[in-house]
Amino acid sequence: MKGWKNKWAVGMIALFFSFSFVLSGCGSNNDNGTGESNAPPTVSTKEPESSESPSAEATGGFDPEAKAEIEFMGWGGDSEKAVFQKLIDSYMQKYPNKKVKYTVVPPGEYYQKLDTLIAAKKTPDVFYAGGAQFNKFVSSGILMNLQPMLDSGDIVDPGNVWQAALDRYRFDGKLVGSGDLYGLPKDVGPWAMAYNKDLFDRAGLSYPSAKAGEYTWDDMLADAKKLTVVNDRGKIDTFGVAGYSLESAVWANGGDWIDYSTGTITIDTPEFAQALQFVADLSLVHKVSPSPDDEKAQNGYSRFVAGKVAMFPMGPWDQPAFWDLPFNWDIAAWPASPNTGKTATWLGSLGFVVSKDTKYPDDAFSLAAYLSLDRDSQKQNYELGQAVPNLIDMAKGEFLQMEKAPQNRQVFLDIIEDYGRPPIEVGSKNTKWLDTFWQDVSQVWTGKKSAADFLKEEQPKLQKLYDEGNK
């Protein structure tokens, strides 16, 4: 999910597990802006019976002959821009009276630009929102409630769209994750563990299991020690692992950052401390992962693509670059905690949302649904290595049958269906507390403090920041 930046990654780039990647991958109950619930064109999420893509069929309040001018704003690289421009052109060709202005903003400037437009009452009709930003917008009453349109027409087959993707854009008036729908998924981003098969082969090691729970922290550490290679100068030439996901370790071990139902920061637990210390000790004690100084010299991502790291995290959006690597690779489930036997990782997402103040609610929703669920666009996205299809039948069918790596594509789907979790920030409107954690945790990465001591001191600090920004 290019464009969607995970807070864990941002913190680790600055501190310890620094590497280059961009994810493409955060109100009140409002009607459609007219006081009525009008159904937009149907976008089929079922396999078409003919070869023609079933884009949109006019139903309900959507009038294909009525003129409308819609602005869609997003971000993305050249390939993503090309895909969406093609989709928009196709939409306008089908509906000549519908004009869509596509505005692309650099990722680093996107939300600042969006906030400026919202303040000036020039909010785009359709735009990207995800994570904490979605929470902020929906809590502030900026977004249109899409539920009436979904309920009044045969627009989406819920059984053929990932529940985890739809739930990410639900809001019940207090918490994200349940209630009415205020957005449609652009994509979902399962965060898997990639590994260099050639390095495992040279070391005579079996590959990490693709099945959750079968490959543990202990297994990973034992392999990482055998995969770490020291050169003639006494320097580590190849590391066993880099960029190990702290979220994966904490969640797998039974810990968490926060209980959003009560607003309580929960980092000061033995489960959290053990997981944090495990990740830190990969470098501090076991020397199988790059240190902060090593990361400054060359980040983990660069080392992995150079064949100098055996295990490293990846999302579906990394596929195009990885397809060109000069070595064989695949993906596995994140290692399970030996204490719980469980595996966990994060599942990113970015969504299409509609402004509550749009002059064309039915047309705006029509466009959002088209961009989210059109079969041709979903096919093109996965073939380009941009994302896993939002449509379940496509993901479990032709996506799994692709001949390109990774061979274990089922891991992506397992994460979506079974053990992927929303990123920590999803439940916050203001993430200063979480940004502070990622900054302060450098004290553990560098060995200045133990995980237990750090977390005990950090909890009240984060609690104060969370209360100030979110309550």
Side-chain angles (χ1 to χ4, degrees):
M1 292 166 299
K2 292 186 178 180
W4 187 87
K5 289 190 174 182
N6 179 264
K7 293 295 182 180
W8 170 84
V10 175
M12 293 310 211
I13 287 174
L15 301 169
F16 179 42
F17 295 126
S18 152
F19 55 90
S20 301
F21 71 92
V22 179
L23 305 179
S24 154
C26 324
S28 59
N29 293 333
N30 302 306
D31 59 23
N32 63 10
T34 66
E36 300 177 358
S37 298
N38 297 322
T42 297
V43 178
S44 174
T45 60
K46 299 179 181 179
E47 186 68 38
E49 296 180 358
S50 67
S51 60
E52 182 178 357
S53 177
S55 301
E57 298 298 333
T59 64
F62 177 80
D63 183 356
E65 302 302 324
K67 292 184 178 181
E69 295 185 4
I70 301 296
E71 182 177 2
F72 164 48
M73 190 171 89
W75 73 72
D78 291 341
S79 61
E80 183 167 328
K81 287 189 289 185
V83 168
F84 278 94
Q85 188 62 61
K86 182 177 180 180
L87 285 171
I88 291 167
D89 291 343
S90 176
Y91 183 82
M92 290 191 293
Q93 184 176 11
K94 184 173 182 65
Y95 300 109
N97 288 325
K98 311 300 182 183
K99 306 302 179 185
V100 180
K101 177 184 177 183
Y102 180 28
T103 301
V104 182
V105 179
E109 303 172 14
Y110 177 80
Y111 283 119
Q112 182 180 359
K113 173 70 172 178
L114 186 56
D115 285 339
T116 300
L117 291 172
I118 291 171
K121 299 189 183 302
K122 296 180 180 179
T123 310
D125 300 279
V126 180
F127 54 96
Y128 288 170
Q133 296 295 329
F134 172 77
N135 192 323
K136 182 180 75 172
F137 294 145
V138 72
S139 299
S140 301
I142 291 169
L143 306 183
M144 186 173 77
N145 186 346
L146 307 182
Q147 197 67 44
M149 293 183 173
L150 291 171
D151 293 341
S152 64
D154 183 19
I155 304 162
V156 176
D157 173 11
N160 198 32
V161 182
W162 299 113
Q163 181 179 344
L166 292 176
D167 287 351
R168 190 67 62 83
Y169 302 100
R170 296 189 182 278
F171 183 66
D172 63 7
K174 292 183 179 180
L175 296 174
V176 171
S178 63
D180 287 354
L181 199 69
Y182 286 81
L184 292 171
K186 172 182 178 290
D187 51 20
V188 286
W191 195 232
M193 186 178 76
Y195 60 93
N196 184 320
K197 296 173 73 173
D198 292 0
L199 293 180
F200 272 81
D201 289 343
R202 291 174 200 166
L205 299 173
S206 299
Y207 301 142
S209 176
K211 186 176 180 180
E214 290 189 347
Y215 191 70
T216 70
W217 293 358
D218 294 338
D219 297 327
M220 188 276 294
L221 181 57
D223 285 347
K225 289 179 177 179
K226 295 174 182 177
L227 291 160
T228 298
V229 178
V230 178
N231 62 28
D232 295 338
R233 302 187 307 276
K235 300 292 184 180
I236 297 178
D237 181 66
T238 302
F239 287 96
V241 62
Y244 198 93
S245 168
L246 179 58
E247 291 98 329
S248 174
V250 169
W251 290 333
N253 206 42
D256 210 339
W257 274 255
I258 185 171
D259 179 350
Y260 276 116
S261 65
T262 62
T264 304
I265 302 297
T266 58
I267 63 173
D268 54 338
T269 66
E271 293 81 7
F272 198 115
Q274 184 180 37
L276 175 56
Q277 196 64 61
F278 164 74
V279 177
D281 286 348
L282 292 175
S283 172
L284 293 172
V285 176
H286 305 296
K287 311 297 182 183
V288 298
S289 189
S291 68
D293 287 342
D294 293 326
E295 288 286 338
K296 291 177 183 177
Q298 185 180 26
N299 64 42
Y301 179 91
S302 298
R303 291 176 187 271
F304 180 77
V305 299
K308 299 299 183 179
V309 165
M311 292 175 276
F312 190 77
M314 76 164 290
W317 53 90
D318 285 315
Q319 290 176 104
F322 283 19
W323 285 336
D324 293 331
L325 294 177
F327 55 81
N328 296 308
W329 61 276
D330 209 336
I331 57 176
W334 278 95
S337 164
N339 303 307
T340 66
K342 295 181 179 180
T343 300
T345 185
W346 57 261
L347 178 65
S349 182
L350 190 63
F352 299 109
V353 297
V354 176
S355 168
K356 180 189 67 176
D357 297 324
T358 179
K359 295 180 180 179
Y360 305 101
D362 296 298
D363 295 288
F365 179 68
S366 164
L367 178 64
Y370 184 87
L371 296 175
S372 174
L373 302 172
D374 176 74
R375 296 195 74 89
D376 284 346
S377 70
Q378 293 296 298
K379 182 178 179 67
Q380 191 166 15
N381 269 339
Y382 86 70
E383 288 180 340
L384 290 171
Q386 299 292 312
V388 176
N390 290 331
L391 304 178
I392 295 174
D393 63 349
M394 182 177 288
K396 292 186 175 182
E398 55 196 83
F399 173 75
L400 285 185
Q401 296 166 7
M402 286 185 71
E403 295 183 357
K404 294 183 177 180
Q407 182 178 354
N408 293 327
R409 288 179 170 273
Q410 182 63 44
V411 170
F412 286 143
L413 307 193
D414 290 344
I415 293 171
I416 295 173
E417 288 191 296
D418 300 330
Y419 56 92
R421 297 194 186 188
I424 309 160
E425 66 173 33
V426 166
S428 297
K429 296 184 287 290
N430 182 304
T431 60
K432 185 176 181 180
W433 71 275
L434 187 56
D435 297 337
T436 299
F437 172 86
W438 291 124
Q439 294 165 7
D440 292 350
V441 77
S442 62
Q443 299 169 80
V444 180
W445 303 144
T446 57
K448 292 181 180 179
K449 289 183 181 179
S450 69
D453 289 345
F454 165 74
L455 295 170
K456 183 178 180 180
E457 296 174 5
E458 190 79 354
Q459 193 279 340
K461 179 179 179 180
L462 299 189
Q463 187 68 64
K464 183 174 184 294
L465 291 172
Y466 176 80
D467 291 346
E468 291 174 351
N470 293 276
K471 288 187 175 180

mmCIF file of all heavy atoms in Angstrom, residues 173-191:
data_model
loop_
_atom_site.group_PDB
_atom_site.id
_atom_site.type_symbol
_atom_site.label_atom_id
_atom_site.label_comp_id
_atom_site.label_asym_id
_atom_site.label_seq_id
_atom_site.Cartn_x
_atom_site.Cartn_y
_atom_site.Cartn_z
ATOM 1 N N GLY A 173 -19.270 5.833 16.588
ATOM 2 C CA GLY A 173 -19.437 7.075 17.330
ATOM 3 C C GLY A 173 -18.377 7.280 18.388
ATOM 4 O O GLY A 173 -18.163 8.398 18.857
ATOM 5 N N LYS A 174 -17.671 6.188 18.732
ATOM 6 C CA LYS A 174 -16.607 6.275 19.732
ATOM 7 C C LYS A 174 -15.316 5.603 19.251
ATOM 8 O O LYS A 174 -14.236 6.174 19.383
ATOM 9 C CB LYS A 174 -17.064 5.623 21.043
ATOM 10 C CG LYS A 174 -18.182 6.369 21.762
ATOM 11 C CD LYS A 174 -18.522 5.696 23.085
ATOM 12 C CE LYS A 174 -19.624 6.442 23.825
ATOM 13 N NZ LYS A 174 -19.971 5.789 25.118
ATOM 14 N N LEU A 175 -15.463 4.388 18.725
ATOM 15 C CA LEU A 175 -14.293 3.623 18.338
ATOM 16 C C LEU A 175 -14.357 3.201 16.881
ATOM 17 O O LEU A 175 -15.439 2.930 16.336
ATOM 18 C CB LEU A 175 -14.170 2.369 19.215
ATOM 19 C CG LEU A 175 -13.934 2.581 20.708
ATOM 20 C CD1 LEU A 175 -13.984 1.246 21.447
ATOM 21 C CD2 LEU A 175 -12.592 3.268 20.956
ATOM 22 N N VAL A 176 -13.187 3.129 16.261
ATOM 23 C CA VAL A 176 -13.059 2.596 14.909
ATOM 24 C C VAL A 176 -13.068 1.075 14.990
ATOM 25 O O VAL A 176 -12.475 0.488 15.891
ATOM 26 C CB VAL A 176 -11.761 3.089 14.250
ATOM 27 C CG1 VAL A 176 -11.512 2.372 12.931
ATOM 28 C CG2 VAL A 176 -11.806 4.593 14.038
ATOM 29 N N GLY A 177 -13.771 0.428 14.054
ATOM 30 C CA GLY A 177 -13.769 -1.025 14.007
ATOM 31 C C GLY A 177 -15.137 -1.652 14.035
ATOM 32 O O GLY A 177 -15.298 -2.820 13.683
ATOM 33 N N SER A 178 -16.136 -0.887 14.441
ATOM 34 C CA SER A 178 -17.509 -1.392 14.447
ATOM 35 C C SER A 178 -18.446 -0.233 14.147
ATOM 36 O O SER A 178 -18.063 0.928 14.246
ATOM 37 C CB SER A 178 -17.848 -2.014 15.808
ATOM 38 O OG SER A 178 -17.790 -1.045 16.835
ATOM 39 N N GLY A 179 -19.685 -0.565 13.788
ATOM 40 C CA GLY A 179 -20.651 0.481 13.474
ATOM 41 C C GLY A 179 -20.812 0.665 11.983
ATOM 42 O O GLY A 179 -20.555 -0.238 11.183
ATOM 43 N N ASP A 180 -21.252 1.851 11.587
ATOM 44 C CA ASP A 180 -21.490 2.153 10.173
ATOM 45 C C ASP A 180 -20.188 2.305 9.403
ATOM 46 O O ASP A 180 -19.131 2.616 9.967
ATOM 47 C CB ASP A 180 -22.311 3.441 10.043
ATOM 48 C CG ASP A 180 -23.763 3.244 10.440
ATOM 49 O OD1 ASP A 180 -24.163 2.088 10.701
ATOM 50 O OD2 ASP A 180 -24.501 4.244 10.495
ATOM 51 N N LEU A 181 -20.307 2.140 8.093
ATOM 52 C CA LEU A 181 -19.140 2.210 7.216
ATOM 53 C C LEU A 181 -18.945 3.642 6.714
ATOM 54 O O LEU A 181 -19.874 4.260 6.190
ATOM 55 C CB LEU A 181 -19.326 1.268 6.039
ATOM 56 C CG LEU A 181 -18.076 0.850 5.273
ATOM 57 C CD1 LEU A 181 -17.212 -0.063 6.132
ATOM 58 C CD2 LEU A 181 -18.459 0.121 3.982
ATOM 59 N N TYR A 182 -17.733 4.158 6.849
ATOM 60 C CA TYR A 182 -17.394 5.512 6.418
ATOM 61 C C TYR A 182 -16.279 5.518 5.381
ATOM 62 O O TYR A 182 -15.734 6.581 5.065
ATOM 63 C CB TYR A 182 -16.969 6.357 7.620
ATOM 64 C CG TYR A 182 -18.120 6.777 8.507
ATOM 65 C CD1 TYR A 182 -18.641 5.912 9.459
ATOM 66 C CD2 TYR A 182 -18.691 8.044 8.383
ATOM 67 C CE1 TYR A 182 -19.696 6.288 10.279
ATOM 68 C CE2 TYR A 182 -19.744 8.438 9.193
ATOM 69 C CZ TYR A 182 -20.241 7.560 10.142
ATOM 70 O OH TYR A 182 -21.298 7.937 10.938
ATOM 71 N N GLY A 183 -15.930 4.367 4.850
ATOM 72 C CA GLY A 183 -14.900 4.296 3.836
ATOM 73 C C GLY A 183 -14.893 2.934 3.183
ATOM 74 O O GLY A 183 -15.484 1.976 3.704
ATOM 75 N N LEU A 184 -14.255 2.839 2.033
ATOM 76 C CA LEU A 184 -14.072 1.573 1.336
ATOM 77 C C LEU A 184 -12.573 1.335 1.174
ATOM 78 O O LEU A 184 -11.808 2.274 0.938
ATOM 79 C CB LEU A 184 -14.751 1.602 -0.031
ATOM 80 C CG LEU A 184 -16.279 1.663 -0.014
ATOM 81 C CD1 LEU A 184 -16.816 1.904 -1.422
ATOM 82 C CD2 LEU A 184 -16.867 0.376 0.555
ATOM 83 N N PRO A 185 -12.129 0.097 1.300
ATOM 84 C CA PRO A 185 -10.690 -0.162 1.274
ATOM 85 C C PRO A 185 -10.051 0.080 -0.084
ATOM 86 O O PRO A 185 -10.572 -0.377 -1.111
ATOM 87 C CB PRO A 185 -10.601 -1.636 1.670
ATOM 88 C CG PRO A 185 -11.906 -2.214 1.227
ATOM 89 C CD PRO A 185 -12.917 -1.131 1.463
ATOM 90 N N LYS A 186 -8.975 0.803 -0.084
ATOM 91 C CA LYS A 186 -8.144 0.867 -1.282
ATOM 92 C C LYS A 186 -7.358 -0.434 -1.392
ATOM 93 O O LYS A 186 -7.156 -0.966 -2.471
ATOM 94 C CB LYS A 186 -7.194 2.058 -1.194
ATOM 95 C CG LYS A 186 -6.148 2.115 -2.296
ATOM 96 C CD LYS A 186 -5.216 3.286 -2.101
ATOM 97 C CE LYS A 186 -4.133 3.304 -3.176
ATOM 98 N NZ LYS A 186 -3.169 2.189 -3.018
ATOM 99 N N ASP A 187 -6.907 -0.911 -0.225
ATOM 100 C CA ASP A 187 -6.132 -2.137 -0.181
ATOM 101 C C ASP A 187 -5.991 -2.605 1.254
ATOM 102 O O ASP A 187 -6.432 -1.933 2.191
ATOM 103 C CB ASP A 187 -4.738 -1.938 -0.801
ATOM 104 C CG ASP A 187 -4.010 -0.725 -0.228
ATOM 105 O OD1 ASP A 187 -4.377 -0.260 0.870
ATOM 106 O OD2 ASP A 187 -3.077 -0.227 -0.879
ATOM 107 N N VAL A 188 -5.412 -3.774 1.421
ATOM 108 C CA VAL A 188 -4.982 -4.262 2.721
ATOM 109 C C VAL A 188 -3.530 -4.676 2.580
ATOM 110 O O VAL A 188 -3.129 -5.200 1.528
ATOM 111 C CB VAL A 188 -5.842 -5.440 3.223
ATOM 112 C CG1 VAL A 188 -7.197 -4.954 3.681
ATOM 113 C CG2 VAL A 188 -6.001 -6.515 2.154
ATOM 114 N N GLY A 189 -2.748 -4.458 3.622
ATOM 115 C CA GLY A 189 -1.309 -4.702 3.524
ATOM 116 C C GLY A 189 -0.785 -5.650 4.580
ATOM 117 O O GLY A 189 -0.355 -5.220 5.643
ATOM 118 N N PRO A 190 -0.820 -6.970 4.320
ATOM 119 C CA PRO A 190 -0.274 -7.927 5.290
ATOM 120 C C PRO A 190 1.247 -7.860 5.365
ATOM 121 O O PRO A 190 1.932 -7.921 4.344
ATOM 122 C CB PRO A 190 -0.744 -9.278 4.736
ATOM 123 C CG PRO A 190 -0.947 -9.049 3.275
ATOM 124 C CD PRO A 190 -1.391 -7.628 3.130
ATOM 125 N N TRP A 191 1.769 -7.732 6.573
ATOM 126 C CA TRP A 191 3.202 -7.583 6.820
ATOM 127 C C TRP A 191 3.791 -8.945 7.124
ATOM 128 O O TRP A 191 3.588 -9.494 8.204
ATOM 129 C CB TRP A 191 3.390 -6.625 7.994
ATOM 130 C CG TRP A 191 4.736 -6.033 8.229
ATOM 131 C CD1 TRP A 191 5.426 -6.036 9.406
ATOM 132 C CD2 TRP A 191 5.544 -5.283 7.327
ATOM 133 N NE1 TRP A 191 6.613 -5.357 9.286
ATOM 134 C CE2 TRP A 191 6.710 -4.885 8.004
ATOM 135 C CE3 TRP A 191 5.397 -4.923 5.981
ATOM 136 C CZ2 TRP A 191 7.718 -4.138 7.401
ATOM 137 C CZ3 TRP A 191 6.414 -4.170 5.377
ATOM 138 C CH2 TRP A 191 7.542 -3.793 6.083
#
